Amino acid sequence: MMNLIEVYINEVTRRLPIKNREDIGLELKSTIEDMLPDQYTEEDVKNVLEELGNPAVLASGYNERPMHLIGPKFYDIYVSLLKMIVPIAAVIAFIVVLTEYVVGFGKGDTVLNVGLMILGEGIWNIVHVFIQVFFWLTLTFVILERMDCSKDDYPRTMSLNKWTPDDLKNIPYIPKERVVSKGYVLGSLLWTAVWGTIYFNADHLAGVYKDSGSGLEFLMPALNQDVLNSFWPLIILVLGLEVAFALFLFIKHQWTRQAAILNTIREIVAIIVLVLLISNSNFFNPEFLAYMNTILEFTEEQIKRFIIIITLILFLLFSIINCIDGFRKANR
């Protein structure tokens, strides 16, 4: 019977720092003896030990250090930051891969091969980024957990303080119709990176493709890259507005009147830049127009006019719908 008690005490103290083992062992032995009757049996010992519970759990009560990586005190903050950082880092990683392959796209490459390489390396980069973010963020919170000197176990808020009802004052109520998801924001950033990369590499991306048997192979550009490059300050302005708008939505997490106005401004600026671009007489590649002339029963001038009109109509239509939708959501 005494052997059971000694084994139990040993199971508790071996999980504690060496300097505390002897004192806690004596204290625990005294506690057990006080809980036992004068003439106790093995069954009495088992009942007392069962009442004290699992030695590991009891040891955690004596231990000054947590026996978990991240406890309830910081777990909610940890998960929130993980959900916030991982998607952003993943999108950035994919954009880097996309840009690298698009810039290096050569005339001998096929769209299928490049697309598969972007997909494969993009997925690998996202997994790699997730592992890195998960490791370093977890390590940071493990250190924070063990350096925390407060004795309470109350879950902390983002300010690292104990939650109080006053914290609700800092959380605005957002109607479901006005909420902007992280997926929408990340998708906007990804789309901005895609069209920006294609714009500055249009001479080997935007044009005529032919079937090479193993996939689509680039034949000729449709646009004049020198003309596109000459508008780079305006394009950088449009890209900047796109990124600023996405970050604004990410911070606000909702459609507001300011977001709707910023959305309208970026659409207006984009339309102006588009009109300036396509009104340039050298915007289209002459070889592309000649090639289209051999396929269609139209003159080169008619082909240019047709493409310009269709482009403007579609762009204006989608821009107007987008602006109206922004104000509609903001006013709900």
Side-chain angles (χ1 to χ4, degrees):
M1 290 183 291
M2 183 58 69
N3 185 48
L4 281 179
I5 296 174
E6 293 298 333
V7 171
Y8 183 86
I9 292 173
N10 182 66
E11 282 296 295
V12 174
T13 55
R14 74 180 181 84
R15 292 176 167 86
L16 303 175
I18 296 177
K19 62 179 182 179
N20 299 333
R21 288 179 182 176
E22 185 176 351
D23 292 339
I24 292 177
L26 293 174
E27 177 187 337
L28 184 56
K29 184 176 182 180
S30 176
T31 300
I32 294 173
E33 290 175 348
D34 291 340
M35 296 173 68
L36 289 169
D38 293 335
Q39 301 295 324
Y40 58 84
T41 63
E42 183 176 344
E43 192 64 29
D44 293 326
V45 173
K46 289 181 179 180
N47 290 335
V48 168
L49 298 183
E50 184 175 355
E51 184 177 346
L52 290 173
N54 190 311
V57 176
L58 185 61
S60 67
Y62 286 108
N63 208 337
E64 296 175 356
R65 297 172 298 175
M67 298 184 69
H68 43 249
L69 281 178
I70 302 172
K73 186 183 295 186
F74 298 108
Y75 183 76
D76 186 64
I77 305 176
Y78 165 73
V79 172
S80 298
L81 288 176
L82 201 61
K83 290 180 178 179
M84 182 187 302
I85 296 173
V86 168
I88 297 175
V91 168
I92 293 174
F94 190 80
I95 288 174
V96 170
V97 174
L98 177 69
T99 305
E100 178 185 342
Y101 275 97
V102 167
V103 171
F105 188 92
K107 289 187 176 181
D109 296 325
T110 64
V111 176
L112 178 61
N113 290 339
V114 174
L116 290 175
M117 286 189 290
I118 291 175
L119 182 63
E121 190 162 337
I123 292 174
W124 167 245
N125 264 27
I126 290 174
V127 172
H128 178 72
V129 164
F130 171 78
I131 293 173
Q132 289 290 326
V133 172
F134 178 79
F135 172 78
W136 290 110
L137 190 63
T138 303
L139 180 62
T140 300
F141 273 86
V142 168
I143 295 173
L144 181 63
E145 181 93 37
R146 279 142 186 79
M147 290 181 63
D148 181 59
C149 297
S150 59
K151 300 300 181 182
D152 65 88
D153 289 324
Y154 295 111
R156 295 296 194 262
T157 62
M158 279 295 186
S159 63
L160 297 183
N161 295 319
K162 177 185 174 182
W163 183 89
T164 66
D166 290 332
D167 290 325
L168 296 174
K169 298 178 181 178
N170 301 322
I171 304 175
Y173 169 72
I174 304 175
K176 184 179 179 180
E177 297 80 6
R178 292 170 58 181
V179 172
V180 177
S181 66
K182 290 185 178 69
Y184 178 86
V185 175
L186 297 176
S188 298
L189 289 173
L190 184 60
W191 167 244
T192 300
V194 168
W195 79 255
T197 304
I198 292 176
Y199 179 92
F200 288 107
N201 296 276
D203 57 338
H204 55 270
L205 287 175
V208 179
Y209 289 80
K210 67 175 181 178
D211 189 357
S212 63
S214 59
L216 294 177
E217 185 178 337
F218 189 74
L219 185 61
M220 69 177 67
L223 309 176
N224 188 329
Q225 189 65 54
D226 291 334
V227 173
L228 296 178
N229 291 341
S230 66
F231 282 84
W232 72 264
L234 293 177
I235 299 303
I236 294 300
L237 173 62
V238 175
L239 289 171
L241 286 173
E242 294 271 3
V243 173
F245 175 67
L247 293 178
F248 185 87
L249 288 181
F250 182 79
I251 294 171
K252 293 293 185 180
H253 193 50
Q254 64 174 316
W255 280 95
T256 62
R257 188 167 183 81
Q258 293 85 351
I261 292 173
L262 181 58
N263 181 44
T264 303
I265 291 174
R266 75 183 182 95
E267 290 289 359
I268 292 174
V269 172
I271 290 171
I272 294 173
V273 173
L274 177 64
V275 171
L276 292 174
L277 264 173
I278 61 179
S279 61
N280 189 295
S281 58
N282 298 318
F283 179 68
F284 291 98
N285 177 22
E287 293 182 9
F288 168 73
L289 294 175
Y291 176 81
M292 295 301 293
N293 179 248
T294 61
I295 298 176
L296 305 174
E297 296 180 357
F298 296 104
T299 64
E300 294 183 8
E301 194 62 34
Q302 288 174 325
I303 294 171
K304 285 173 58 177
R305 192 180 302 113
F306 176 78
I307 296 175
I308 289 173
I309 292 174
I310 292 299
T311 301
L312 283 176
I313 290 176
L314 291 177
F315 200 92
L316 280 170
L317 179 62
F318 284 112
S319 295
I320 292 171
I321 292 174
N322 189 24
C323 292
I324 293 174
D325 189 54
F327 280 103
R328 182 177 59 84
K329 290 177 179 177
N331 292 328
R332 285 183 174 180

